[in-house]
Amino acid sequence: MTPPNPGKASPDLDSSGSGRLAHAPADHPPMPRKKIGVVLANLGTPDATDYWSMRRYLSEFLSDKRVVDYPDWKWQPLLQLIILSRRPFKSGEAYRSIWNTEQDESPLLTTTREQTRKIADGLYEAHGDDVVVDFCMRYGNPSTDSVLRRMQAEGCERILFFPLYPQYASPTTATANDQAFRTLMKLKWQPAIRTVPAYFEHPAYLDALASSVREAYESAETPPEVLVASYHGVPKRYLLEGDPYHCQCQKTTRLLREWLGWEKDAIHTAFQSKFGPEEWVGPATVEHVAELARQGRKHIAVVSPAFSSDCVETLEEIEEEIRESFLEAGGETFTYIPCLNDRDDHIAALLSIIDNELAGWV
């Protein structure tokens, strides 16, 4: 006997397509057909670049205990009274330099929406309308809570939650999952939920990443002498407390080098975006590229394997601040290799991961 497909209409529903239960009383409300949901989760974005939009976004982001884990009595007065009185101006300026003015939104939002559309098309081709695809942001809009609730209202009794971070880190993957679980804690009827683990070792992801590097090198007027893999940094304390992120970043660089067939010194690992007085994992990208220039490496490329989409940390920090650091130290050509974004090979890799994680559901 063939087992029932969990994505198909329930045998308890009548055959009219009305969504009404076959054996329910006439006044029973219609029930949506059972579906499976896939939610792509990214970091987040401010709604606009003005002071108050930036302040709301930064307050939510920097109040997250996964991001800054200092006690509230020590951190919140400093954050609300000092940091958020100045930082929204600086961050707003950074976002304005990369803002998608045509759609009046951040590039991260634009790219995540396009990734979602392509993944939805791929899953529709494979499974029809049994699988519903959407995206959410950990900070800002569309919120995790609103997307999960909407999916449940559409009949998604099983949801695959996919944080778009190749490497696991407490301030990224864990906080995205936390937010999904907070919504479940408030629901009377919880959908079954699965979370996608780190995928930096997945062959299709590494193929896409290596292809992006090869294409950039082939199109560069002056071939880079060194590739710097720049990852978002974390306090060194996180590593000592068991967060695997630093180790997974180092392994990503090694695997990328092996996929490319390059010598060991052809790729360096560095970390960017330091915030606060603590010691962070290093070396710092902004300092490392300057040191490379002083050592006579005049032509370099930078890639960001920790980001699935280009964002302010890549389009502004790498393309402007880190580029400037290299050139001012004597460098001559600086090649930034874009994130995988909505490249077809990246979408194919994400679809392969999704299909694996949906095993037994579809």
Side-chain angles (χ1 to χ4, degrees):
M1 177 179 178
T2 303
N5 185 332
K8 297 298 181 183
S10 168
D12 293 331
L13 298 179
D14 69 22
S15 59
S16 68
S18 66
R20 196 168 299 281
L21 294 171
H23 304 291
D27 60 350
H28 194 285
M31 297 290 289
R33 182 167 60 85
K34 293 180 181 180
K35 304 183 187 71
I36 294 167
V38 175
V39 179
L40 308 176
N42 219 321
L43 180 72
T45 173
D47 294 324
T49 61
D50 61 277
Y51 172 83
W52 289 109
S53 296
M54 292 304 311
R55 182 175 178 122
R56 283 193 298 273
Y57 172 73
L58 291 171
S59 180
E60 183 181 11
F61 173 51
L62 296 174
S63 293
D64 185 349
K65 282 285 195 272
R66 291 283 195 180
V67 176
V68 181
D69 58 0
Y70 301 147
D72 282 345
W73 65 266
K74 178 188 293 185
W75 175 240
Q76 282 300 320
L78 177 63
L79 175 64
Q80 300 298 332
L81 299 177
I82 299 177
I83 295 173
L84 291 181
S85 66
R86 300 192 303 261
R87 191 173 178 89
F89 292 109
K90 182 179 180 181
S91 295
E93 183 179 355
Y95 270 96
R96 279 190 293 276
S97 73
I98 65 160
W99 202 249
N100 181 347
T101 54
E102 183 177 336
Q103 295 181 248
D104 192 25
E105 62 188 24
S106 74
L108 177 69
L109 180 57
T110 304
T111 301
T112 305
R113 183 187 299 111
E114 187 62 13
Q115 289 171 330
T116 303
R117 184 189 68 79
K118 289 186 175 183
I119 287 171
D121 288 347
L123 289 174
Y124 181 81
E125 185 176 340
H127 306 293
D129 59 1
D130 291 334
V131 179
V132 178
V133 184
D134 208 341
F135 72 94
C136 68
M137 298 294 176
R138 170 60 184 88
Y139 315 105
N141 296 304
S143 70
T144 303
D145 185 82
S146 66
V147 171
L148 290 178
R149 288 178 182 274
R150 183 167 65 248
M151 279 202 158
Q152 186 188 46
E154 292 177 10
C156 294
E157 296 187 4
R158 306 178 187 213
I159 294 176
L160 180 68
F161 191 77
F162 192 168
L164 290 175
Y165 309 109
Q167 302 82 16
Y168 173 96
S170 173
T172 54
T173 311
T175 191
N177 290 338
D178 287 348
Q179 197 72 350
F181 299 147
R182 288 188 187 100
T183 294
L184 264 62
M185 290 171 66
K186 295 180 286 186
L187 297 177
K188 293 295 185 186
W189 185 0
Q190 294 178 333
I193 193 164
R194 291 176 178 173
T195 61
V196 178
Y199 56 92
F200 68 96
E201 296 177 287
H202 195 284
Y205 163 74
L206 290 166
D207 281 341
L209 186 61
S211 293
S212 73
V213 172
R214 289 192 194 97
E215 291 167 15
Y217 270 56
E218 289 168 1
S219 62
E221 291 186 11
T222 304
E225 301 165 273
V226 174
L227 174 65
V228 177
S230 181
Y231 302 85
H232 198 291
V234 292
K236 188 174 182 180
R237 172 171 53 87
Y238 286 25
L239 168 64
L240 301 177
E241 292 173 350
D243 191 309
Y245 175 71
H246 178 266
C247 299
Q248 292 185 1
C249 291
Q250 297 285 355
K251 188 170 183 180
T252 302
T253 300
R254 176 176 64 79
L255 291 171
L256 174 60
R257 177 176 59 80
E258 293 173 356
W259 240 252
L260 291 167
W262 289 2
E263 297 297 325
K264 187 173 183 180
D265 61 354
I267 305 181
H268 296 193
T269 299
F271 296 88
Q272 63 185 85
S273 309
K274 179 179 178 180
F275 175 80
E278 280 194 79
E279 180 183 3
W280 281 40
V281 295
T285 306
V286 68
E287 298 168 2
H288 188 65
V289 297
E291 182 60 27
L292 286 173
R294 288 191 288 267
Q295 292 173 359
R297 306 293 185 92
K298 302 300 184 181
H299 314 287
I300 69 169
V302 177
V303 67
S304 299
F307 297 99
S308 62
S309 308
D310 275 306
C311 54
V312 70
E313 283 85 357
T314 61
L315 298 175
E316 193 277 335
E317 186 176 0
I318 292 179
E319 279 278 55
E320 297 180 22
E321 179 186 349
I322 292 171
R323 175 190 294 271
E324 183 179 337
S325 175
F326 175 69
L327 297 178
E328 286 185 350
E332 295 178 8
T333 58
F334 181 99
T335 301
Y336 171 62
I337 301 173
C339 293
L340 295 177
N341 295 320
D342 64 338
R343 288 172 54 108
D344 288 345
D345 51 5
H346 186 214
I347 299 301
L350 298 178
L351 281 168
S352 177
I353 294 164
I354 290 168
D355 280 341
N356 181 67
E357 297 299 325
L358 287 177
W361 280 8
V362 295

